Amino acid sequence: MAMVGKDALRRIDTATVKALEGRAPGGKIFSAFSNREREIIYERLKMIDGLVPSLFTFFRDIQYLKLCMDCLKRLLIVPKRESVYETLARTYSDKNQREGHVKIQITEDSFLDRAGTPADCVDLGIRQLVALAMRYYPAMPADPVKEGPVRIAPTKADPAVLRSLADLAYDLGFDTPQIRALKKYPSLRTARLDSSPLPPLYVT
C-alpha cells in the first residue's frame, strides 16, 4: 500500500474487505481512493494467484484440514506433543515397497512406481493419505466425545471407506494395529458409498 500513501490502510472500508475476501480480484472497490490509486491497487491485486485470503477463509480452511486429520487419526494413536505426520512417519516400513521406488496411486485400485528415496516414500505416502481423506472425510467423521449426561446420536463412519483408507496406508508401507483392524472391514468393491460416480482422485 506504500505506493498509494501511508494512510492507505485507514482508508480501506468494510465493504471493500467483504467484497474481496475469498474471491478473485476485481469489481468496484476501494471507494475512498482516487481512480489512479485504484488502478495501482488493482494491478497489485491481479498479481495474486488465487483467491484473496481472509481470517474467515483461513479458519474455514483450518477446520477442513482438522476434519481430514481426524480421519488419519483412525490409523494410529498419536502421542501428545507429536503431529499426525510425525507419528505416521514413524510407522512407515518397507513392506509392500520396491527398493529405490515410490508408489503413486493413479486410480482407486492401481499404482505406478517412480524412482525415489525412503524419505520420498514417507512424504508422498502421507500426502496420498491426506488426499484420500480430503475426498472422503464426510464418510469418516471422528467418534464423538461425550459431553454431559446426554449424547446426540453421531453420524457413523462408513466401514468400507475406513477399509479403503487402511488399504491405501498398508499398500504405501504404513503398518499399525489400527490399520490391520480396519483392513478387516468390508471393501469398497462390495460396499460402495452410493450409486453416484466416485469423487475425482486428485485434489487441487
Side-chain angles (χ1 to χ4, degrees):
M1 289 295 183
M3 297 178 65
V4 292
K6 295 181 179 180
D7 65 336
L9 290 177
R10 291 197 298 271
R11 288 189 282 160
I12 296 177
D13 55 90
T14 302
T16 293
V17 174
K18 292 293 185 182
L20 279 177
E21 64 178 1
R23 294 177 171 83
K28 181 71 172 180
I29 52 178
F30 296 102
S31 59
F33 294 80
S34 67
N35 289 336
R36 175 56 184 159
E37 288 174 328
R38 282 200 294 271
E39 290 176 5
I40 294 173
I41 295 171
Y42 182 61
E43 291 302 317
R44 297 290 295 275
L45 284 172
K46 287 195 297 184
M47 296 171 62
I48 299 175
D49 184 17
L51 300 181
V52 178
S54 70
L55 284 177
F56 174 76
T57 57
F58 171 78
F59 285 114
R60 288 285 297 272
D61 290 344
I62 291 295
Q63 180 60 29
Y64 170 57
L65 293 175
K66 180 182 181 301
L67 294 173
C68 295
M69 291 303 101
D70 286 343
C71 297
L72 299 190
K73 287 179 181 179
R74 291 181 174 275
L75 300 175
L76 70 178
I77 297 175
V78 182
K80 291 182 178 179
R81 300 182 181 179
E82 191 167 274
S83 68
V84 175
Y85 186 100
E86 292 169 333
T87 308
L88 270 172
R90 286 196 296 101
T91 71
Y92 178 79
S93 69
D94 58 0
K95 292 180 180 179
N96 311 314
Q97 306 307 300
R98 181 182 170 192
E99 186 176 356
H101 289 76
V102 182
K103 187 176 288 186
I104 305 294
Q105 187 184 32
I106 56 173
T107 71
E108 294 291 336
D109 302 310
S110 60
F111 297 83
L112 286 178
D113 283 343
R114 291 288 183 263
T117 65
D120 294 330
C121 293
V122 172
D123 183 60
L124 292 176
I126 294 174
R127 289 172 186 264
Q128 291 179 78
L129 292 174
V130 172
L132 187 146
M134 293 172 77
R135 299 195 302 277
Y136 288 122
Y137 76 92
M140 296 185 286
D143 292 330
V145 177
K146 186 175 181 180
E147 297 180 0
V150 178
R151 173 185 285 185
I152 299 175
T155 300
K156 294 183 178 180
D158 189 309
V161 178
L162 294 177
R163 166 67 184 273
S164 182
L165 177 65
D167 282 345
L168 179 60
Y170 192 77
D171 287 341
L172 294 174
F174 301 95
D175 190 16
T176 68
Q178 291 76 23
I179 290 174
R180 291 178 178 270
L182 293 177
K183 283 178 64 63
K184 296 178 182 178
Y185 287 175
S187 69
L188 280 175
R189 290 188 181 91
T190 57
R192 290 293 183 185
L193 287 175
D194 51 40
S195 58
S196 61
L198 290 172
L201 181 61
Y202 297 107
V203 179
T204 57

